[in-house]
Structures are given as C-alpha cells and as structure tokens.
Amino acid sequence: MLDTETKRRIDTARDLLVGKVPDPKSQVEQITIALIYKFMDDIDAESEEFGGTRTFFAADFARFGWAKLMHSGLGGNEILNLYADAITRMPENPGIPPLFRDIFKNAFLPYRDPETLRDFLKVIDEFTYDHSERLGDAFEYLLSVLGSQGDAGQFRTPRHIIDFIVAVIDPKKNDTILDPARGTAGFPISSYKHILKANTDTDGHSTLTPDERGRLATNFQGYDISPDMVRLSLVNMYLHGFADPHIFEYDTLTGQDRWNEYADVILANPPFMSPKGGIRPHNRFSVQSKRSEVLFVDYIAEHLTPNGRAGIIVPEGIIFQSQTAYKQLRKLLVEDYLVAVVSLPAGVFQPYSGVKTSILILDKVLAKKADRIAFFKVENDGSDLGAQRRAIDKNDLPQVRKELGEYLERLRAGESEGDFQPTLMDGTAEPGTEYTKSEPTHGLVAEKEKIAAGGEYGLSGERYRENGVHNHAFPLVSIGDSELFRVESGGTPKSNVKEYWSGSIPWATLVDLSATNFITEIRATQRTITELGLNKSSAKLIPENSVVVSTRATIGRIAINRIPLATNQGFKNVVIKDLNKILPEYVAFTLTKLVPAMEAQASGGTFKEIPKSRFCELRIPLPPLEVQREIVAEIEGYQKKIRNYELEIANCREKMAKAVQKVWEVDED
C-alpha cells in the first residue's frame, strides 16, 4: 500500500519538474534516474556499515557520490555540472551491474536551471533505499502519471484490468511468461504477485523452495521497442525483487533474432496504432499485414508452447474489421487458439483514450477440446467512464471473472461446454437449464460453426445472442426478412449543385431526431431536396410509417416518419411491407432494446457505422398484431405519464422562479 508521505514526495518532485520538463514521460524518467542514483549510493553506504567497501561509487566515480553532490559548499552550477556529468557517464561505470548501466543508457539532464535541480535533489534525498513492496508500489504510482505515448499507440493499462487478465490466465510457478510489448512491466509484476500468493500457506509463509524461487526469477521475459520503456520496466521489476530482469530492447514485429523463443504464458497490451505506411514485418508471420494489432496477436498466438495460453487486450478492429488480414487472423484464432472474448467498455483507458477494447483469452489445449467460444461483456469496471474515472458501486469484473473461470474449469475437467449456459444481462436462459454452481449473468456461448458461417469470423458476442440463451415466447425475425421488411440506406445529393436542394421532398438528418425523445415522430424536416437531387443520389423516398434508425457516428436514435421522406447516409430505414402484420411503433420500440447490439456491431475509423448486412442480421420477437397493440399501448401510456410529469416539473419550476422574483420586487410607492 502506497503511504501518504512517499506519494507526497513523488508529487512534489513532479511539481518541481513540470515547468522545465512538461512531458509526463520525461518527468518519470528524470525521477527514475535520480532515485536509482540515490539508491546506488545507499547500497554503498549499507555495504560500508556492514564492513564492506563501496563499489557503485568507487575509484574515478567516487567523486559522483551522493554526499558530494549534496554538499552544502557546492554552488548551483557546480551541482548541475556534476550531476549532468554523472548520469551521462554512469553507463561507463565498471563498478555497477549491467542492469544499472542499462538504466542509465542515454540518460541526460534536459534543463539547465541550477535552482530547480537543487530543489529537486533535496526531495530525492528524502527517499532511502528500501527493497520492499512499499517502494515498488511507490514506483507504480509514479508510472501512473504516464499518459498516451503518442504515435506508438501505447496506453498505460489500468492495474485492475491487468490483475483481471492475470487471474483468468492463472500463471503457475513453473511457467515461462512473456510480454512482447513490455511497457512498464505491469503484467509480469502482477503475474509474479499472483504466483507468490498462490504459493503461500495459511500462515502467510511461502511454500516455494529456493530452487523454485531461482527458476521463477528467470522465467519472466519481455521485449519493448522503446529504450525509455525498457529503462522504466527494468527499474520497476528491480524494485519488485528481480535482481536481473530479462528485458530486451527488441522490435517484436520486424526482428527475427528471438522468433524461435516460445512461452507458456503470454500477456500483453500491444500498441494499437501503426506508423504511416504501416509496419514492414518479415515474412514469417502466418497472417500478412502491415497493421501492428494484427501482427502482435498473430505473433502471440504463434509463440505459445503446446500447452500455452494468453491474455491479450485488443482494439475493436480485431473484433469487427472486414479486411482480409483481420478475417484471416480471426479464422486462425477461432480454429486453433481462442476460448473466450471479454468485451470491455469504452473509457477503460481514460483519461488517455476513449478507445473501445476487448480481451482475447487463448488456450491451445482447451481450444482443441471446445467447439464453442464464450463471450462476456463488462459494462462497468468499478469507475465511471469519464476522464476522471471516479469510483462507482457497479463492477462486473468479479462476476465475469467467476463465470469465465467456471467455464474454463469445466473445459479442463472434460465436461461438455454445453453444460455451461451463460446468459446475457437480462438473466434469461434456455428453458429447463439448471446450474450446478451459480447462474451466470454476463455472457453467452456460440458454436464455432456459427462463428465461421459466412467467412467473417466476427468476435462480437452480441451477434450470436440468439444461440440458445434466450427464451422467447414469440418467433424471432430478422430485420432483413424480405417478406416483412425492406431496408433502405440513405444518401446525400452533391452539396454544390443548387438544383438538388430546397425542393419539395423532406430530407432527414440527425438534427431531425431528438436526442431526448424515446422515439421521434418526424412530421417535417429542416432541409429538403428536389426530385432531381433524389434521382441523382443514392437517397431513396421512404413511405410514411417506416422506422428510421441512425447507424453512423451517433448510433441508435430512432424515429417513425409520418410523412414520406428521404434521409442522408447516416440512416438505415426499415420499410414495413404489411402494416396489417407489423406496427411501426412496435418495431421502433423493440429496436431500442437492440441499441447496445448496434453499438457493438459498429466499426470504422473516425465515424463508426453499422454495415447494412449486419443491421439486417438484427432480430426481434414477432408476436401477433393484437399483442403488438397491447405492448405499444402500454409503452405509450408510460410515455404519456412521463410527459405529464415533465410538464408538472416545468410548471413547478416556473412557480419557484416567480416566488424567488417576489424577493426582488420593490414597491415604487
């Protein structure tokens, strides 16, 4: 547990640097270098105290000892020159282990303000060398200030997400463990703690033998392309008990020197972004691509031992993208490696990024046993999804961890994965299903055959939610059912052709669909187009009483058009072929239930969009017309009550305002 005083010192050191070193990563590097500098001197002092000699600051490097640096007789410029010279020359110091030489590699002082340095070193002087968990936690707090690493697409992985993945993968004391995109070593440190805890008796004593501890220390390995990340990772692991961390500056995607090295457990949050022009990998990858996220996942899958397993954080492109490389990768995973997918909410990486991610769980042994894949959805992770990530009382991670663990254990025990029937958030399940443990509430299982159908190998659980995990009293019909519906996309006439605009045909855009209304009724539109504009664009004239759904950028606003109209390309329009069979109000109300599924199906870059093919896959229950009328009447009754309450609230606010105004009235008489 990080103590208040240590946290205060770190915050003070950062505050002193921020005016001279505005980049958070550079601040962390400067504090790291100074702390290690001070700690090496502390080790020397401890050695002297027990009758030994100084080794870190001896011979020619004795003049850089911390006590000499902090001598009160030195002037500001003398301190600055001595410190700058020391950290630059430290990699040449023969008295320090290779680990410390690597830490100081390419180190330099990025500012020349003596007073700032003097005050900064005074704060560092308050720290004392302590090879304890407390100091490791302090360094992890220091690393938490790191934000986005720019073009590399690297984001600090939240500790609770790391711990969740480690708990699911469950690394053992004899496993070799690799992180090929090491960053600051969050995954290996969490894995190390997990293994130590698993090998502790009820009295809190370790059950690991000395030989097992020795092997454990060498079982961890990692690569990172950034020398700065290697430095931070080395320090972090050293402070958590690794005297000789095996961390290498290595380009996982273009280097071949370590291609033939494999691991029992691989844990990673690889970079999501690729440089301009893409990656130029060698030709040993199974999937040919220039995208870093594709190559990293391919690399991890291919570098597992026969009994290997992995937990990988991936961007949504891996889940949905339709380009050939993405489909080839998903096919590879589904057929040979993948056992589960955990969808995380967008915002987990805030404040660094709002990117939507998922976790892939790979297990080469279990993947061969199972003919299904489990999908789980985390909607809340214990914090809100805003930039401040404030704590909330909703956290799905423990329950998902429990349910996913049950599923994997049943596979390991040789039980049919069909014995485990996860359900979705509404808790519905197949009739007659009995749970011998606890009823899961956050997932579903889908057959690999179903996932492979059509060749897309999509990894969104939402598209498979009908796979025997819902009990519907009425038959399900797809929006693409050509006997019931016709789905039309919108279109936009060329904006620079005057003859296409301000005509007699209403043309709906997002501004015509209220963000606050449950269902908008469109009776007029802000813009109109001409017959010529309609004919010269992909827009279609939609008959009245169709259902208009926004499926691009702002996804899930729904309306019923009470006039014939056209829409722009941000909509999919559901034309009901027989109003004597299906009520538009019923379709609109039912589609509101599928907004989360729509959001999950959306893909793309700047503006996410649901392809027409996926939109048509959405399925809704279809009761008889009289039942539809009852449902619509009930919902409209609730809507009427809500409107009445809103009017009453508005009326009360007006009366309150008048009452307050009386205080300010002045009797002019």
Side-chain angles (χ1 to χ4, degrees):
M1 181 67 68
L2 177 66
D3 64 280
T4 305
E5 186 60 24
T6 300
K7 180 179 180 296
R8 181 198 63 78
R9 290 170 183 161
I10 292 173
D11 290 340
T12 301
R14 286 190 58 228
D15 290 342
L16 287 169
L17 290 177
V18 71
K20 304 296 179 182
V21 187
D23 175 38
K25 183 165 73 72
S26 296
Q27 295 168 15
V28 171
E29 290 170 359
Q30 290 303 309
I31 296 173
T32 299
I33 290 167
L35 283 174
I36 295 300
Y37 191 140
K38 172 65 164 56
F39 295 161
M40 289 193 307
D41 194 88
D42 286 348
I43 294 171
D44 268 353
E46 185 180 78
S47 177
E48 281 187 322
E49 183 181 345
F50 287 98
T53 60
R54 286 182 172 265
T55 57
F56 287 83
F57 294 96
D60 291 343
F61 283 83
R63 66 189 182 93
F64 296 124
W66 190 265
K68 293 181 172 59
L69 186 67
M70 299 300 294
H71 192 276
S72 59
L74 284 184
N77 285 313
E78 290 177 293
I79 294 175
L80 189 146
N81 292 331
L82 185 63
Y83 181 76
D85 191 24
I87 63 174
T88 302
R89 292 189 53 196
M90 203 62 71
E92 306 166 12
N93 186 346
I96 65 177
L99 167 66
F100 291 94
R101 289 201 290 270
D102 288 342
I103 290 171
F104 282 93
K105 185 179 179 181
N106 299 319
F108 70 99
L109 187 66
Y111 60 92
R112 303 295 296 179
D113 181 354
E115 292 307 312
T116 296
L117 178 62
R118 186 193 294 272
D119 292 341
F120 171 70
L121 293 180
K122 285 181 180 178
V123 175
I124 299 299
D125 191 50
E126 296 177 15
F127 290 91
T128 57
Y129 177 75
D130 180 356
H131 203 62
S132 68
E133 183 68 16
R134 182 174 59 83
L135 188 55
D137 286 341
F139 190 71
E140 288 182 23
Y141 169 70
L142 176 60
L143 294 179
S144 73
V145 307
L146 288 176
S148 166
Q149 299 306 307
D151 293 337
Q154 299 169 336
F155 304 103
R156 176 180 175 268
T157 313
R159 166 69 77 82
H160 65 296
I161 299 299
I162 290 175
D163 291 345
F164 170 84
I165 296 173
V166 168
V168 170
I169 298 301
D170 189 24
K172 305 296 186 182
K173 63 183 179 182
N174 294 321
D175 285 333
T176 53
I177 300 169
L178 171 68
D179 184 345
R182 191 60 164 252
T184 58
F187 278 111
I189 288 171
S190 178
S191 299
Y192 183 63
K193 293 178 180 179
H194 177 86
I195 294 170
L196 292 180
K197 183 177 180 181
N199 292 275
T200 301
D201 62 24
T202 54
D203 295 325
H205 300 131
S206 174
T207 59
L208 294 172
T209 67
D211 286 345
E212 287 174 335
R213 279 188 171 276
R215 285 196 302 271
L216 180 60
T218 62
N219 280 347
F220 290 84
Q221 189 160 295
Y223 318 137
D224 204 286
I225 193 174
S226 166
D228 296 332
M229 289 295 107
V230 170
R231 174 188 293 135
L232 297 177
S233 182
L234 285 170
V235 174
N236 202 13
M237 293 202 69
Y238 177 75
L239 294 177
H240 281 86
F242 289 81
D244 184 23
H246 294 187
I247 306 169
F248 306 97
E249 185 180 332
Y250 177 69
D251 189 339
T252 304
L253 303 184
T254 63
Q256 297 192 54
D257 294 347
R258 300 183 177 277
W259 182 264
N260 294 324
E261 297 178 3
Y262 297 83
D264 301 315
V265 170
I266 302 181
L267 303 162
N269 175 18
F272 295 167
M273 296 176 65
S274 302
K276 187 176 182 181
I279 305 290
R280 295 184 179 180
H282 51 72
N283 58 7
R284 300 179 72 175
F285 288 89
S286 294
V287 179
Q288 300 303 306
S289 176
K290 293 184 177 181
R291 301 294 302 175
S292 64
E293 65 267 31
V294 173
L295 294 170
F296 263 113
V297 176
D298 182 11
Y299 180 93
I300 291 168
E302 291 193 61
H303 284 79
L304 291 172
T305 60
N307 295 320
R309 54 206 188 278
I312 320 165
I313 298 175
V314 297
E316 288 301 275
I318 295 294
I319 306 298
F320 296 119
Q321 287 285 5
S322 59
Q323 288 96 323
T324 300
Y326 289 90
K327 289 192 288 187
Q328 288 177 345
L329 176 66
R330 291 195 293 267
K331 181 176 186 292
L332 175 74
L333 295 174
V334 168
E335 292 180 349
D336 298 318
Y337 299 96
L338 189 65
V339 292
V341 180
V342 180
S343 174
L344 297 175
V348 163
F349 283 93
Q350 292 281 24
Y352 316 131
S353 171
V355 65
K356 172 75 175 68
T357 58
S358 292
I359 302 168
L360 304 183
I361 305 299
L362 312 187
D363 190 310
K364 291 180 72 172
V365 173
L366 297 186
K368 292 176 183 177
K369 290 185 177 182
D371 61 3
R372 296 184 179 188
I373 290 172
F375 295 88
F376 291 84
K377 185 174 183 180
V378 175
E379 294 188 338
N380 295 286
D381 69 334
S383 299
D384 68 26
L385 300 173
Q388 301 302 316
R389 297 289 277 145
R390 295 184 177 90
I392 59 175
D393 59 1
K394 296 179 180 179
N395 187 356
D396 302 327
L397 287 172
Q399 183 66 13
V400 171
R401 163 71 187 96
K402 179 176 180 293
E403 294 171 12
L404 177 51
E406 277 189 15
Y407 177 74
L408 297 178
E409 280 304 312
R410 292 191 175 209
L411 289 185
R412 292 188 186 101
E415 298 178 34
S416 168
E417 66 275 7
D419 294 340
F420 179 80
Q421 292 282 356
T423 68
L424 286 171
M425 300 300 293
D426 59 4
T428 57
E430 186 177 5
T433 298
E434 294 183 1
Y435 299 101
T436 58
K437 296 186 180 180
S438 60
E439 293 194 7
T441 56
H442 293 272
L444 60 87
V445 290
E447 295 178 358
K448 290 183 180 180
E449 182 179 0
K450 177 71 173 179
I451 296 170
E456 288 289 325
Y457 290 87
L459 297 181
S460 167
E462 294 292 342
R463 68 190 302 173
Y464 308 115
R465 66 189 297 170
E466 74 273 16
N467 278 25
V469 296
H470 282 286
N471 176 21
H472 293 288
F474 307 106
L476 291 170
V477 297
S478 68
I479 297 300
D481 189 326
S482 59
E483 294 185 4
L484 301 172
F485 308 108
R486 185 177 83 250
V487 178
E488 299 283 6
S489 299
T492 302
K494 291 183 178 180
S495 59
N496 59 352
V497 180
K498 184 179 179 181
E499 290 78 12
Y500 293 170
W501 297 92
S502 301
S504 60
I505 299 174
W507 183 72
T509 66
L510 198 61
V511 298
D512 297 306
L513 276 71
S514 171
T516 57
N517 287 351
F518 186 54
I519 301 292
T520 301
E521 293 194 359
I522 304 177
R523 301 183 184 278
T525 60
Q526 293 193 19
R527 303 184 68 182
T528 59
I529 60 176
T530 63
E531 285 279 356
L532 184 62
L534 181 68
N535 295 332
K536 293 293 184 179
S537 71
S538 59
K540 302 289 191 301
L541 188 63
I542 308 303
E544 61 186 86
N545 294 319
S546 299
V547 179
V548 178
V549 184
S550 62
T551 55
R552 186 184 187 197
T554 302
I555 294 171
R557 291 190 192 176
I558 299 174
I560 299 172
N561 59 312
R562 299 306 188 184
I563 55 172
L565 52 72
T567 70
N568 73 6
Q569 63 270 32
F571 296 92
K572 301 292 185 292
N573 306 300
V574 183
V575 179
I576 299 171
K577 290 189 173 182
D578 189 347
L579 294 174
N580 292 317
K581 290 183 178 179
I582 306 176
L583 299 178
E585 294 82 3
Y586 171 77
V587 174
F589 292 149
T590 308
L591 283 176
T592 61
K593 176 72 173 176
L594 298 182
V595 170
M598 295 184 206
E599 293 173 338
Q601 298 281 12
S603 60
T606 305
F607 297 105
K608 287 193 173 184
E609 184 171 9
I610 308 171
K612 184 177 179 180
S613 60
R614 289 183 182 166
F615 180 78
C616 289
E617 291 176 356
L618 296 174
R619 300 176 65 172
I620 62 173
L622 185 60
L625 195 64
E626 59 271 19
V627 176
Q628 294 180 43
R629 290 194 180 101
E630 291 175 5
I631 294 171
V632 169
E634 182 179 0
I635 294 174
E636 288 182 340
Y638 294 140
Q639 287 294 102
K640 183 177 180 180
K641 287 183 178 180
I642 290 172
R643 286 192 292 269
N644 289 338
Y645 291 145
E646 288 173 344
L647 289 173
E648 185 175 347
I649 290 171
N651 185 39
C652 288
R653 290 187 186 281
E654 184 178 351
K655 291 179 178 178
M656 288 167 59
K658 289 180 178 179
V660 172
Q661 181 63 31
K662 291 179 181 179
V663 178
W664 297 93
E665 290 178 354
V666 178
D667 188 349
E668 295 181 356
D669 295 338

